Amino acid sequence: DALPIYNAAAAVSVKPLRELTLAEFRIRLADASEKQRWPEMLDLATAMRVLYPEDEVIADAMNSEGRALSELGRKEEALQRFDEVIRRYGNASSLKDTKSEALKISIIDAIKNKAYVLGQLERWDECAQAYGDLISALSEIGGDVDDEFLSIALSNKAIAQGRGGDAAGSIETCN
């Protein structure tokens, strides 16, 4: 799977950022992520957000920025990016009102990424709340929600509750 991305990324890697199409930005972002080149991913996402100021692109780019910042050890800045996506475009309870499927995905990604980073920071109460928000978001959209993804979110919420000292909440989440 990585070979087509690598070949496509190699073809567009010499183009100046201002000349990249949105699809080419996405190819280069995927390549930078695959190769764990976090500073490059951060620069690409920031440029993509500036050059393509549509809501769906901005939300996606901010999630990419947050992921890169997290991998660079800049966890608080990463949380700010994820919170900004949620603040601007909607939260778990407003997903049904969001018309764009791309924005729904970006909101869910922001909530998921926020929960993950909070766990890395061992901020267990906030982490459990974020996983609760993710579960609510997944329930809100209904339909084709991957059962495995929902199960992982439930498990992670229970783990965060347990690590945060809420054994009763953790048991309740498991039930």
Side-chain angles (χ1 to χ4, degrees):
D1 286 333
L3 190 57
I5 291 172
Y6 176 77
N7 290 340
V12 298
S13 66
V14 294
K15 285 179 83 170
L17 293 180
R18 291 193 177 278
E19 295 177 16
L20 293 177
T21 66
L22 183 56
E24 290 169 335
F25 264 110
R26 292 184 193 282
I27 289 167
R28 287 196 47 194
L29 273 172
D31 183 60
S33 177
E34 177 74 25
K35 294 177 179 171
Q36 299 183 359
R37 293 191 316 245
W38 309 120
E40 179 183 350
M41 184 174 170
L42 179 59
D43 291 344
L44 286 165
T46 301
M48 187 172 89
R49 180 166 51 99
V50 170
L51 294 171
Y52 293 93
E54 298 86 26
D55 287 343
E56 291 85 356
V57 177
I58 292 170
D60 185 40
M62 290 179 77
N63 274 322
S64 293
E65 287 173 336
R67 183 157 173 252
L69 287 164
S70 176
E71 293 293 341
L72 289 167
R74 296 163 57 185
K75 308 271 187 224
E76 293 299 330
E77 289 176 80
L79 288 173
Q80 290 171 1
R81 291 300 192 291
F82 303 138
D83 281 336
E84 184 67 13
V85 171
I86 296 163
R87 186 191 68 72
R88 278 189 189 190
Y89 302 110
N91 55 35
S93 62
S94 66
L95 268 180
K96 275 191 178 172
D97 299 331
T98 303
K99 303 284 187 252
S100 165
E101 288 302 314
L103 273 180
K104 285 180 184 180
I105 291 168
S106 287
I107 293 164
I108 289 170
D109 280 349
I111 297 168
K112 173 188 59 121
N113 292 334
K114 176 182 177 176
Y116 181 77
V117 171
L118 287 167
Q120 288 180 317
L121 293 171
E122 298 182 4
R123 290 166 46 183
W124 301 120
D125 292 341
E126 293 171 85
C127 178
Q129 177 61 51
Y131 276 116
D133 291 345
L134 178 58
I135 293 161
S136 295
L138 294 171
S139 299
E140 182 78 15
I141 61 169
D144 295 330
V145 173
D146 183 354
D147 288 340
E148 184 177 350
F149 188 50
L150 185 57
S151 295
I152 291 168
L154 284 162
S155 296
N156 288 342
K157 179 181 178 183
I159 290 166
Q161 288 171 311
R163 289 185 177 168
D166 183 7
S170 180
I171 292 168
E172 183 179 322
T173 297
C174 289
N175 291 332

